[in-house]
Structure formats: C-alpha cells, structure tokens
C-alpha cells in the first residue's frame, strides 16, 4: 500500500505520446537541420538532381561527338576532365550521364518499393497463409547473394538499361517488403484500427488510409539507403557491360571503358567513379540522418 | 556516544551537459553516513537520487555527466579526486552497489557464479577455485536454493528475485563498508520485496556494514532506515532520524510526502498529492526550489536560497526558512499563490 | 543444438527449391525457343528437334522442372553451349578460386571491421572515432569496382608493388581481397560500433565497473562478447554481398573465378552455364547462412527459451 506514496506519476510521458503529426514533422525537421551530415547529404543530392536537369546547359561539348584528333587529352582548360579514347569531352559525358545513372537508380528503387510495399502490406495485414507464402518468396529472393539475382534476371531478359532497372528493382523488393510487413503487423494491432473496422471500413481503406501512412517512415529511411546501393549495383552491371551499351555516357559504362586505358589515361576511370562515389555518399549521409531523425529508438 | 562517520558527502554537484543546456541533476547534496547505520534517500522521480548514488562511485555516464564540485569522503579520503586505480579498489570492495533492475544488471552471457567470483578475485588474493567456492557460499548466504547448480547458470535462467539475490551476493562478496542499494526492490513482486528487505537487514547485522537505501517508497523507509535524507530538485531538503521525520516532518515538502501516504486507520477517500510540478533541472528558480508548490511560501523564499541547517541545536537538518530567524521578520507574501 | 540444426536444415529445403525454381525459370523467361537456343546458333531444324526430344523440352513445364531438380541433385547441371562440356566440371575449376578470394576478403572484413568498430566505440566522438567513421562511410560509398581500379593504378601501375591482374601467386590475392573486403569491413565497423555503444550503455556494464574491474576488462570481457552477437548476423549477410561482389572484382582483376564465368556466360548467352553458376553461388550462400545461424545460436543460448 505504502507504494502509493511513490510521488506523482510522470506526466510528461503521457504528453509525449500525444504528439500530433505536425509536431512530429517539426521535430523531424529540427533534428534533420541540426544534423550537419544529413544536411551535407541533402545538399549533395540536390546538386546532382540539379546537374541532371540542366546538363545540356552546363555541358561545354556534345557528349557524343567523336573527334579522334583530340583523343585521350589529359584534363586541361579546354577539357576540364580530359577527353576519352574517341576524343569526346569527359565532363560533358558525365553531365549527360547523370540522367542515366541517377535515373536508373531512382527508377529501380521506385519499382522495388512499389511491389515491396504491396507485398509487405498484404502479408502483414492478412497474416496466416498469405504471410507464409509471401515470406517464403522473400526468403528465396534473399537467398541469392548480392547482385546475383539481378544477373540471373538479366541473363534471361538480355542486357540493357531497362532490364538493369528491373533486375536491380527486383532485388529491392524483399528489403521493402520485410520492413513494411513488420511495421504493418505492429500497426494492425493498435486499438484504433479495430475501432475503424467496427465502424465499417473495408480492408482496402484501412490499409491505404490508416496503415500505410504509419509505415511510411521506415520506408523512407530504407528508400534512401537503398538508393545508394541501387545506384552502385546499376553502375556495376553497366561496368560489366550488361547495362548501358556504348556510346552511352552512363557512369558505370564509362568506367568500364576507362579500365582499358588505366595506364595511359587514368582520368577516364577516375572521374566517373568519383561522381558515383560522391552521390552514393550523399545518399548514405542523408539516410543515416533520416534514420536518426525518424527512429525514436535511437533518439537520446 | 556518536558512532564513527564512514562516508561524508559535502556540496556534491553532478551536472549533465546536453544540447538543451546544463541539467543540474545533483546540485549541492550533503549528507553523513555513520558506521552500521541505514540511511534512506527519498524523493520524487528525477530529483537526483540515482545520480547521487552513482556519483559516490564515480559511475556517472560521461559524457554527458560530470561531477563538477564537492567532496565525497570515505574514511576521510576524497573519492572525487582519487586516482583511477585507487578508485577501483574502492569499487566493489569498500563500497558496492545494487541496482534497481535485476533483469538487466547482470551480464547475460556469463554464468552468475563467475560474475561473483570475478569480483572476489579482483579484490582478494584467491585462486580461481577458492573464488568459485566463495561465490557458491555467497549464493547460499543470500538464500539461493541449490547454489552450486545456480552458480553455473546464466542470468536468463533465474527469476527476478533470484537475480537480485545474486546482485546482493556480488555486492557483499568483499564485505564492503558501505552498500548502496538503488531501489533494490522496485522491480520485484511484493512478497519477494519483503524477502529481499529481510535479507538485507539480516546481512547488515552479520557484516556490520552501512547501507544507503534509495527508494521512493516511504513505507520501506520507515521499516528499514535509521536516518533519512529527503531530496528535492537535486538537493537534500531534510536530513534526520527516521523516527523524528515520521513523527514531525519539518520541511513542507516532507510534510506533503507524508500526507500523501495512505493511513491505515483512517478511511481516506482520496490521497493528498502535492500540487504543481517539479522545476526542471535545466532551469532551477533562484530562491527555494519548492517555493512554487509551498503553501507557506513568503517573499524571501523566492528571493533567497535557503541552506541545509541544523534546527535549534538538534541533530535534525532542514533546508527551509520557516526554521530560521529570518522567518518572523519576513513579510507575508501578498500575491495569491497559483492553485 | 542437434535438433536445431536438423530443424534449420528442413527449413532451407523450400528455400533451395525456390532457388532452383528461379534458376530454372531463367530459361523459360528467355524470349524465343529454348531448344533453338540450346542447340546453338545456326543449328538445323532437325538438330533443334533432336535437342527438344533429348532434353524433354516438349514436356509440360512442371515436369521439366521436376526433372531439372532431379538432375541438379545428381550433380548434372547440363552442358555448356560453347564447348558442350558439363557445366559442373567448369564450376569445379572456378569455384575454388572464388572461394579463396571470398575467404581472404571476409577475413579482411572481419578483422578490419571489428578492429575499427571497437576502436571507435571505446572513445565515442573522439577524433579517432570520427575519422574511423568517416573512412567507414567512404568505404560503403565507393563502388568496389572503382576502388579496385584505383588501387590497381596506385599499387600496380604506379608503384609496381603488386601484379596488375591474374591469379598466379599469393601477391595476386592482395588487391582483389582488399578491394572486396573493405566495403564489408566498413559495414561491420559501423555495426560493431553501434552494437558496442549500445552494450556499453547497458546496466550490466555499469555493474562491471561498480565491481572495480579495469576498463580493459570491462570492454573486452563484458562488453565485446555481448556486442559481437548481433555482428555475427551482419557478417553472415556480408558474405552474401561479398559473393555477389566477386562478380565485379573478378572482372576488374581478370580472375577466372565463378563470378567472371557467370558474366562471360551472360555475354555469350551460354544459359546453362549462367544457371549453374548462379545456382552454385546461391547454394554456397544458403549454407554459409546456415552455419552463421548455428554459430549465432551457439553464442547466444538465451534463444533456447524463446
Ligand atoms: N544522461 C543524462 N543526460 C541528461 N540529464 C540526465 C541524464 N541522466 C540523468 N539526467 C538528469 O538527472 C536527473 C536526476 O535523475 P535520477 O536518475 O538521479 O533521478 P532519480 O531521483 O533516481 O529518479 P527515479 O526515482 O526515477 O529513479 C534527471 O531529472 C535528469 O534530468
Ligand atoms: Mg533512480
């Protein structure tokens, strides 16, 4: 009985739970803007998207124009990043290539997220045998080491950037599906979902309007991290000659081309790789920051 | 005849520097612990009890925490300024601790006997085998059934009560002079609580150690403590013998605490609670920290900070202007206190 | 423990069947007539029909799959379209090379990753920690195939310390293994650090300090062993990306391993070879994961109860 004297219960805790969505957004913004690394990541990403948009304006030369008398010139005032074995301006190619390299990454993650989220929502919401089937399917997809699933898909569909997008996208599906499935199972058990159901909402409304918004933040974190890997994988496949084909200025393909001139013209390999690295770094920085900001477990 | 002083804490200040500012978790704590005595430290959640006890062994997580001022005198040696290796000889040997959470306070992947034996070997020159035997003996001493078998088990195989017994066995391994128990029974069932308290009292008699008993359960305090220090907002506001404190609480905060205790003989409809909120450790008011919640507060309480002083030649100490000469001359507060 | 292993073995059966199904479907997904593809370019209609008959390609798909699985379990992965030799023979030549590369790489991943992670966690937010974490962040951001080229340029082309490419001596292993291991090391380092920091904040570490243990013991006896438990899983997963990464690294350094075999086979549309390579690599990964599971279980007996 005496334990009643345990002095007043913690009121703040109850208040903390009543965070409205807007407060959450504000606190999220505060954490993100205070996190210098995340800001740096955001700036890098923004810069790349800008490059992507205005590439034609920025590019000093035609990225495809061959001029053999200018071939393999080292970086100079005329050609900031030098020229390649066909005399094409590397800077111009890199600027144009941003559209391909970033585009493939974004598209493949969108592809993977779309199917992954649907699978995850369905498995998490319906549970039972539906969940069993979906989970086994995901297990199988995850049983392929690294980019081997993507290789298998490309071997069937044939090389090319579109197929690389699909292949890398398929590889993302299980990652999204797992996260969404877990979060859905948690959210599903909340009382208010029951309440809504008794009010007569159908499964579709519940999933789309009530469960999906609640599982959004882990999806966003995963998406940002996944973009980094997707861009790496897609560039890797093009590097192997399975994605973008010459004369495409895709960065991975440029890198593969540069490999053959590593002795005489290392800048051919250095610049495209640097572009990929910095972009991926940006996504990783941003993803780390997002995770810290959105994952309440990690908050101090 | 006054028993000798084992531990004396003077003006202890432990601050936490965070992005939100400086949290003065412990802000000028004073108390004295005599040989063989049990001192209770009570107070609301967040008033700094745990941080005070952790400071005694310099176990404050740092960063962000730091002892910024004060002395902790163990047999007249200051722990605050002690060298690391000297400090390690105090830890677990002269002063040991039991924590609130028996579930998480033991290493999950090391057999409990080994965790006790490790402490023994650390402070006493004993062989591996002798230390293990001592661990088993200690487990028996704290009343763990089949101690030999249990010693080989890992914490997950033990219940919460058993784990707390293991913690006690570990704390007593080197017959410390001071045992600090930070809410040792809060996480346990009521019946187990009683058993553990009983065990601690028993062992204290056998070993003759002093105990600092931290709790916010006043019922437990009245059962086991000789002396009580009441903490509020990082400071001790009242420090007296338990009997005096329960008979005639001096500080208005203590009075409030006792009034919120359910009384067995009276059929109270509802328990009294103290109105208002604890001030934030990041921003304490200039005067008395309890003034905003105090029904007796006068202007002086907000203007000046009271000090912890003996009341009229007794052993009892209190941090309140009501028991000083200033009180009579202080003007009644004009403004109406907020409800 | 024995029961656990048996249970896990039973559990991976459907996964293995799923993997064979996916690999089997590669052939079905290819546009065009499988028999014509298998017979090779320019084969006469007769030869194509012969192939269809011999390989049972005229049977229902399900039946074909069943016989495919049957063949796989008997070690028959089909014949290469190029030299008509059994795929398995070629794989047996290539696999040891890739496994050797993977072994040294994972060694680098583990040793470097753990070391860096511990160094970071022991003094969080110190200059040492920040620099290690910046390097780790770079490690996960640099494309391995680019890093490989850079290392090759510096150590082989410029300094002449190491051979440029190939797989003829122990010196050849260094660059590819480092390239492949670094990315994983970065991930393991990040994981180790956060796991260590998590553990160091636990109550039982405070208990260990309260006993009077030296900080050294607190970290290595009490913290590290607990912190390693979640890292084991990460290392297991890392082995997967590493196996996948051999595809790229073997191409960079011209190593005739399994990965390069698969890529070459895709280029020359030697489908049975692709199927066999992907299947074997995946099976290796599945079994390594099983091993990791058993290990995880062995160090973390608490799962017994749950
Ligand atoms: N890591 C930290 N960072 C910032 N402030 C801290 C930290 N740890 C503790 N504090 C501050 O110390 C104050 C006192 O905490 P302490 O744990 O000592 O309270 P307590 O009296 O033991 O409460 P309880 O009864 O809940 O155990 C808290 O109010 C908090 O503001
Ligand atoms: Mg406490």
């Amino acid at each position: 009985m005496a334990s009643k004297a345990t002095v007043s219960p913690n009121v703040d805790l109850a208040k903390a739970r009543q965070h409205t969505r807007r407060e959450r957004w504000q606190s999220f913004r505060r954490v993100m803007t205070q996190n210098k690394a995340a800001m740096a990541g955001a700036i890098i990403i923004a810069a790349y998207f800008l490059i992507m948009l205005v590439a034609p304006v920025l590019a000093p030369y035609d990225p495809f124009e061959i001029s053999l008398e200018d071939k393999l010139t080292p970086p100079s005032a005329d050609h900031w990043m030098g020229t390649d074995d066909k005399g094409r301006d590397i800077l111009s190619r890199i600027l144009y290539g941003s559209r391909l390299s970033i585009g493939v990454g974004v598209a493949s993650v969108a592809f993977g997220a779309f199917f992954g989220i649907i699978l995850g929502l369905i498995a998490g919401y319906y549970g039972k045998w539906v969940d069993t089937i979906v989970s086994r399917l995901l297990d199988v997809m995850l049983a392929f080491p690294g980019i081997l699933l993507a290789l298998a898909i490309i071997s069937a569909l044939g090389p090319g950037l579109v197929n690389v997008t699909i292949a890398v996208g398929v590889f993302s599906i299980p990652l999204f599906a797992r996260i969404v499935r877990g979060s859905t199972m948690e959210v599903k058990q909340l009382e208010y979902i029951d309440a809504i159901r008794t009010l007569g909402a159908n499964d579709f409304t519940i999933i789309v309007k009530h469960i999906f918004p609640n599982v959004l933040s882990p999806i966003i974190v995963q998406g940002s991290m996944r973009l980094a890997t997707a861009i790496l994988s897609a560039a890797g496949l093009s590097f192997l000659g399975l994605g973008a084909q010459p004369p495409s200025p895709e960065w991975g393909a440029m890198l593969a081309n540069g490999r053959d001139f590593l002795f005489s013209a290392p800048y051919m390999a250095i610049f495209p790789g640097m572009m990929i690295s910095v972009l991926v770094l940006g996504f990783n920085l941003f993803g780390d920051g997002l995770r810290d900001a959105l994952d309440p477990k990690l908050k101090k | 005849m006054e028993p000798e002083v084992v531990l004396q804490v003077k003006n202890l200040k432990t601050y936490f520097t965070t992005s939100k500012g400086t949290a003065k978790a412990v802000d000028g704590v004073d108390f004295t612990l005599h040989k063989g005595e049990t001192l209770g430290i009570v107070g609301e959640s967040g008033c700094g009890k745990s941080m005070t006890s952790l400071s005694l062994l310099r176990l404050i997580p740092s960063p962000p925490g730091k002892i910024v001022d004060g002395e902790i005198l163990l047999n007249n040696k200051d722990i605050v300024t002690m060298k690391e290796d000297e400090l390690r000889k105090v830890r677990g040997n002269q002063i040991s601790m039991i924590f609130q959470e028996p579930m998480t306070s033991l290493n999950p992947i090391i057999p409990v006997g080994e965790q006790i034996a490790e402490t023994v070997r650390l402070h006493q020159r004993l062989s591996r085998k002798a230390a293990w035997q001592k661990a088993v003996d200690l487990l028996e001493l704290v009343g763990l059934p089949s101690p030999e078998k249990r010693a080989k088990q890992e914490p997950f195989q033990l219940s919460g009560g058993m784990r707390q017994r293991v913690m006690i066995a570990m704390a007593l391994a080197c017959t410390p002079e001071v045992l600090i128990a930070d809410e040792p029974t809060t996480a346990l069932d009521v019946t187990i609580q009683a058993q553990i308290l009983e065990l601690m009292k028993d062992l204290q008699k056998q070993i003759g150690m002093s105990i600092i008993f931290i709790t916010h359960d006043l019922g437990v305090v009245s059962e086991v403590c000789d002396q009580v220090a009441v903490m509020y907002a990082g400071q001790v506001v009242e420090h007296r013998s338990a009997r005096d404190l329960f008979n005639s609480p001096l500080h208005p905060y203590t009075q409030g605490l006792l009034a919120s205790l359910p009384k067995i003989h009276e059929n109270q409809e509802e328990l009294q609670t103290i109105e208002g909120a604890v001030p934030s450790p990041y921003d304490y008011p200039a005067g008395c920290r309890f003034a905003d919640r105090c029904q007796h507060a006068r202007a002086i309480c907000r203007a000046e900070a009271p000090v912890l002083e003996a009341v009229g030649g007794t052993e009892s100490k209190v941090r309140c202007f009501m028991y000083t000469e200033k009180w009579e001359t202080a003007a009644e507060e004009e403004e109406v206190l907020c409800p | 423990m024995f029961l656990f292993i048996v249970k896990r073995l039973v559990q991976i059966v459907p996964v293995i069947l799923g993997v064979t199904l996916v690999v089997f479907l590669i052939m079905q997904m290819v546009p065009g007539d499988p028999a014509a593809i298998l017979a090779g370019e320019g084969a006469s209609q007769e030869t194509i029909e012969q192939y269809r008959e011999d390989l049972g390609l005229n049977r229902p798909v399900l039946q074909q799959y069943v016989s495919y699985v049957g063949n796989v379990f008997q070690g028959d992965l089909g014949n290469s379209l190029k030299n008509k030799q059994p795929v398995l023979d070629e794989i047996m030549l290539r696999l040891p090379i890739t496994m050797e590369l993977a072994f040294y790489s994972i060694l680098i991943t583990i040793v470097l990753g753990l070391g860096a992670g511990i160094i970071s966690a022991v003094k969080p937010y110190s200059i040492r920690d920040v620099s290690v974490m910046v390097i780790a962040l770079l490690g996960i951001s640099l494309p391995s195939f680019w890093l490989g080229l850079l290392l090759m340029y510096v150590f082989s082309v410029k300094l002449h310390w190491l051979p440029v490419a190939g797989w003829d001596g122990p010196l050849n292993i260094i660059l590819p293994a480092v390239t492949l291991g670094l990315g994983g090391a970065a991930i393991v380092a990040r994981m180790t650090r956060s796991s260590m920091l998590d553990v160091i904040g636990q109550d039982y570490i405070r208990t260990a300090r309260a006993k009077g243990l030296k900080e050294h013991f607190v970290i290595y006896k009490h913290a590290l062993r607990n912190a390693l438990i979640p890292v084991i899983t990460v290392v297991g997963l890392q082995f997967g990306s590493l196996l996948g990464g051999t595809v790229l690294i073997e191409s960079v350094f011209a190593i005739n391993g399994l990965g390069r075999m698969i890529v070459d086979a895709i280029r020359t549309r030697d489908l049975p070879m692709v199927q066999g390579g992907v299947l074997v690599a995946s099976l290796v990964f599945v079994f390594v994961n099983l091993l990791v599971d058993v290990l995880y279980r062995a160090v973390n007996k608490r799962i017994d109860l749950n």
Side-chain angles (χ1 to χ4, degrees):
Chain A
M1 268 304 99
S3 61
K4 273 281 161 50
T6 38
V7 202
S8 79
N10 203 336
V11 190
D12 302 283
L13 213 78
K15 267 190 200 147
R17 289 212 190 96
Q18 295 171 349
H19 253 206
T20 62
R21 194 158 282 179
R22 189 160 145 202
E23 280 167 347
R24 271 209 318 248
W25 164 242
Q26 278 168 351
S27 105
F28 166 74
R29 241 186 25 197
R30 202 184 51 238
V31 175
M32 282 306 274
T33 44
Q34 271 174 9
N35 184 333
K36 289 197 196 84
M39 281 307 284
I43 291 170
I44 292 175
I45 296 168
Y48 271 80
F49 276 89
L50 197 70
I51 289 176
M52 207 166 106
L53 286 178
V54 299
V57 185
L58 292 178
Y61 297 92
D62 178 343
F64 297 103
E65 193 180 87
I66 294 174
S67 108
L68 290 175
E69 61 267 32
D70 290 332
K71 73 174 184 188
L72 298 178
T73 56
S76 65
D78 280 346
H79 299 280
W80 290 2
M81 294 183 178
T83 59
D84 67 6
D85 55 315
K86 305 244 166 39
R88 295 170 296 204
D89 180 51
I90 294 180
L91 173 62
S92 304
R93 288 177 65 71
I94 277 183
L95 291 175
Y96 273 91
S98 64
R99 299 179 161 193
L100 299 172
S101 296
I102 302 175
V104 171
V106 172
S108 74
V109 171
F111 179 93
F114 181 77
F115 290 103
I117 290 169
I118 290 180
L119 279 178
L121 283 172
I122 291 175
Y125 185 77
Y126 290 104
K128 303 208 184 80
W129 62 270
V130 181
D131 182 36
T132 311
I133 291 182
V134 173
S135 297
R136 283 298 89 76
L137 184 73
L138 300 180
D139 282 348
V140 169
M141 292 169 96
L142 289 170
F144 290 89
I147 58 171
L148 275 185
L149 182 61
L151 279 182
I153 293 168
I154 289 174
S155 72
L157 301 180
L161 261 193
V162 175
N163 292 346
V164 163
T165 310
I166 295 174
V168 174
V170 168
F171 184 55
S172 304
I173 292 177
L175 304 175
F176 283 101
R178 284 231 163 147
I179 289 175
V180 173
R181 171 179 170 268
S183 311
T184 305
M185 286 176 148
E186 270 171 39
V187 176
K188 194 179 78 172
Q189 291 177 350
L190 298 180
E191 276 166 31
Y192 87 98
I193 298 289
D194 269 344
I196 294 164
R197 190 177 298 119
T198 40
L199 289 177
N202 63 16
D203 287 353
F204 185 78
T205 328
I206 294 177
I207 293 177
V208 172
K209 281 181 78 175
H210 299 282
I211 293 189
F212 180 65
N214 276 301
V215 303
L216 210 55
S217 58
I219 294 177
I220 294 172
V221 174
Q222 180 65 21
S224 172
M225 298 299 221
R226 196 49 215 152
L227 266 170
T229 345
I231 289 170
L232 280 179
S233 308
L237 291 169
S238 285
F239 176 78
L240 293 174
L242 304 177
Q245 302 295 323
S248 164
E250 198 278 339
W251 297 337
M254 286 177 71
L255 200 50
N257 191 21
R259 178 189 189 279
D260 300 333
F261 299 90
L262 198 59
F263 287 84
S264 51
Y267 46 87
M268 269 181 73
I270 287 176
F271 291 114
M274 212 156 70
M275 290 303 285
I276 301 173
S277 304
V278 175
L279 175 60
V280 171
L281 181 71
F283 277 115
N284 280 328
L285 283 170
F286 187 69
D288 280 356
L290 262 182
R291 193 191 46 206
D292 292 352
L294 289 175
D295 189 345
K297 262 186 304 193
L298 292 164
K299 250 185 237 167
K300 295 250 177 74
Chain B
M1 193 191 66
E2 178 90 337
E4 67 185 284
V5 173
V6 180
L7 188 74
Q8 190 167 19
V9 175
K10 292 182 187 166
N11 194 33
L12 180 67
K13 293 186 179 178
T14 302
Y15 292 176
F16 288 84
T17 320
T18 66
S19 56
K20 280 189 281 176
T22 303
K24 301 178 175 172
V26 181
D27 198 19
V29 161
D30 304 89
F31 63 79
T32 316
L33 180 69
H34 295 95
K35 193 167 166 49
E37 145 190 302
T38 302
L39 168 70
I41 298 184
V42 293
E44 268 164 301
S45 194
C47 70
K49 304 182 296 291
S50 296
M51 292 310 135
T52 303
S53 68
L54 289 175
S55 301
L56 298 184
L57 277 179
R58 298 211 338 233
L59 288 171
I60 295 293
S62 160
K66 193 169 188 283
I67 300 178
V68 295
D69 198 8
E71 286 173 86
I72 301 165
L73 301 174
L74 175 70
N75 301 322
N76 285 321
K77 282 210 78 170
D78 189 5
I79 291 179
V80 175
T81 53
M82 221 175 238
K83 290 220 181 64
E84 274 288 327
D85 46 346
E86 216 178 331
L87 175 66
R88 279 200 300 271
K89 290 196 190 107
V90 173
R91 290 177 175 172
N93 192 21
Q94 289 177 280
I95 303 181
S96 48
M97 282 188 86
I98 315 173
F99 302 100
Q100 177 173 354
E101 281 297 331
M103 301 316 255
T104 55
S105 291
L106 288 166
N107 193 317
I109 57 169
I110 299 180
V112 293
E114 163 63 20
Q115 296 190 48
I116 300 173
E118 182 186 44
T119 322
V120 175
R121 258 186 301 133
L122 199 63
H123 299 294
Q124 299 169 3
R125 299 206 155 271
L126 281 182
S127 69
R128 222 164 236 285
K129 232 179 119 193
W132 180 265
Q133 190 49 50
K134 173 133 197 212
V136 174
D137 292 347
L138 281 162
L139 286 178
E140 186 160 18
L141 179 73
V142 296
L144 207 66
S146 45
E148 246 146 79
K149 188 180 121 220
R150 292 294 183 189
K152 290 186 198 122
Q153 293 184 332
E154 280 161 28
F156 72 90
Q157 290 162 297
L158 273 55
S159 70
M162 289 190 211
R163 288 187 213 187
Q164 202 58 301
R165 284 173 196 269
V166 172
M167 282 299 291
I168 293 174
M170 196 153 83
L172 298 184
C174 303
T175 47
E177 291 169 60
V178 180
L179 174 70
I180 303 169
D182 189 353
E183 309 196 28
T185 57
T186 313
L188 304 175
D189 289 344
V190 183
T191 44
I192 313 278
Q193 269 185 30
Q195 289 173 12
I196 297 278
L197 288 179
E198 200 53 45
L199 173 70
M200 287 181 60
K201 275 201 279 187
D202 248 27
L203 293 171
Q204 181 181 27
K205 265 187 226 134
Q206 288 182 35
I207 299 173
M209 63 192 169
S210 314
I211 297 181
I212 295 178
F213 197 102
I214 295 172
T215 178
H216 36 210
D217 189 335
L218 287 171
V220 171
V221 172
S222 68
E223 260 173 60
V224 302
C225 297
D226 308 313
Q227 294 280 320
V228 185
V230 179
M231 280 189 70
Y232 186 79
Q235 297 176 327
V236 173
V237 293
E238 187 163 352
H239 184 0
R240 332 168 52 193
S241 77
R243 194 168 359 103
D244 291 347
L245 186 110
F246 281 98
N247 284 341
S248 59
L250 295 174
H251 198 282
Y253 174 63
T254 319
Q255 291 168 357
L257 278 187
L258 291 180
S260 66
L261 263 179
K263 297 193 183 63
I264 299 159
H265 304 296
E266 293 163 38
N267 206 351
Q268 279 170 302
E269 283 288 284
E270 72 192 77
L271 297 173
Q272 265 176 280
T273 51
I274 307 174
E275 297 283 334
V278 190
S280 154
Y282 289 94
D283 184 25
Y284 286 129
C288 172
R289 292 176 185 181
F290 188 63
D292 279 344
R293 300 168 77 182
C294 182
Q295 2 176 341
H296 309 291
R298 296 184 179 175
I300 183 175
C301 300
R302 290 171 210 283
E304 251 179 83
V307 291
L308 187 66
E309 281 178 320
V311 182
T314 63
E315 289 288 308
S316 304
K317 289 180 183 157
V318 66
R319 189 190 287 274
C320 180
F321 287 117
M322 272 161 59
Y323 306 97
T324 65
E325 284 125 36
K326 286 180 181 167
W327 190 249
E328 297 312 321
T329 52
E332 289 278 341
E333 192 153 76
E334 282 130 48
E335 72 206 274
V336 185
L337 289 171
C338 42
Chain C
M1 196 52 159
F2 177 72
L3 253 172
F4 171 76
I5 296 175
V6 171
K7 215 174 102 194
R8 291 291 290 123
L9 275 172
V10 172
Q11 273 172 2
I12 61 172
V13 169
V15 173
I16 291 178
L17 284 179
V19 169
T20 53
L21 181 63
V22 172
V23 169
F24 168 77
L25 285 178
I26 293 176
M27 190 64 91
Q28 305 298 315
M29 281 181 352
V30 177
D33 178 5
I37 296 171
L38 289 173
E41 266 165 58
S44 68
Q45 198 57 40
E46 237 162 78
T47 332
I48 293 175
E49 288 313 318
Q50 186 67 40
Y51 262 90
R52 202 188 307 287
E53 197 61 29
D54 288 354
L55 298 170
L57 295 177
N58 44 6
R59 291 176 298 166
V61 175
L62 191 66
Q63 224 174 8
Q64 287 186 44
Y65 172 61
V66 172
S67 77
Y68 175 72
V69 172
N71 288 342
V72 165
F73 279 98
Q74 287 165 29
D76 177 9
L77 298 176
N79 292 334
S80 160
L81 299 187
K82 286 272 117 40
N83 54 16
K84 310 293 177 202
Q85 296 301 307
V87 167
L88 191 65
D89 291 358
E90 183 70 20
I91 288 178
M92 280 314 170
L93 278 180
R94 306 281 198 128
L95 187 62
I97 297 177
T98 297
M99 290 314 286
E100 197 182 348
L101 174 58
F103 172 77
Y104 287 111
S105 305
I106 200 81
L107 214 64
I108 289 173
T109 292
I110 293 171
V111 173
L112 217 63
L114 286 184
I118 295 167
I119 284 178
S120 271
V122 170
K123 260 196 162 181
Y125 307 108
S126 64
I127 294 181
R128 206 172 58 180
D129 170 38
V130 172
S131 18
V132 169
M133 282 305 116
V134 167
I135 295 173
L137 194 64
L138 286 179
I140 59 169
S141 301
L142 302 191
S144 61
F145 45 98
W146 186 58
L147 182 65
L149 287 179
L150 288 186
L151 293 178
M152 189 196 279
Y153 181 70
V154 174
F155 293 101
S156 309
V157 177
K158 283 283 151 198
L159 298 172
H160 298 290
W161 287 358
L162 295 166
V164 174
W167 194 251
D168 331 295
L171 283 185
N172 280 90
I173 302 179
I174 298 176
L175 282 186
V178 168
T179 310
L180 199 51
L182 276 182
I187 291 175
V188 170
R190 281 158 62 102
M191 183 66 201
T192 306
R193 176 182 185 269
S194 77
S195 174
M196 276 290 272
L197 286 183
D198 187 40
V199 168
I200 287 174
Q202 296 289 319
D203 291 348
Y204 57 84
I205 295 301
R206 190 177 60 192
T207 307
R209 292 202 174 113
K211 285 180 189 179
L213 277 181
K214 284 198 177 136
E215 193 60 18
H216 183 84
F217 277 101
V218 174
I219 299 291
Y220 294 98
K221 180 169 178 190
H222 287 264
L224 185 59
R225 283 171 58 189
N226 281 288
L228 285 186
I229 295 171
V231 175
I232 293 174
T233 316
V234 173
V235 170
L237 289 176
Q238 221 36 57
F239 186 78
S241 342
L242 199 140
L243 263 187
T246 58
V247 172
L248 289 158
I249 297 309
E250 287 176 2
S251 292
V252 170
F253 289 97
I255 299 167
N256 285 320
L258 192 65
R260 192 153 182 240
M261 182 198 94
I262 295 173
V263 176
D264 287 344
I266 295 177
R267 287 218 192 94
T268 56
R269 312 213 36 82
D270 191 346
L271 284 177
M273 206 73 144
V274 177
Q275 287 178 303
V278 171
L279 184 66
V280 169
S282 306
L283 291 186
V284 168
F285 182 42
V286 168
F287 280 100
V288 166
N289 263 335
L290 176 72
L291 220 73
V292 168
D293 264 11
V294 172
L295 192 67
Y296 182 83
R297 167 89 164 188
V299 296
N300 194 5
K301 294 184 211 127
R302 276 168 297 172
I303 331 177
D304 265 335
L305 289 188
N306 309 337

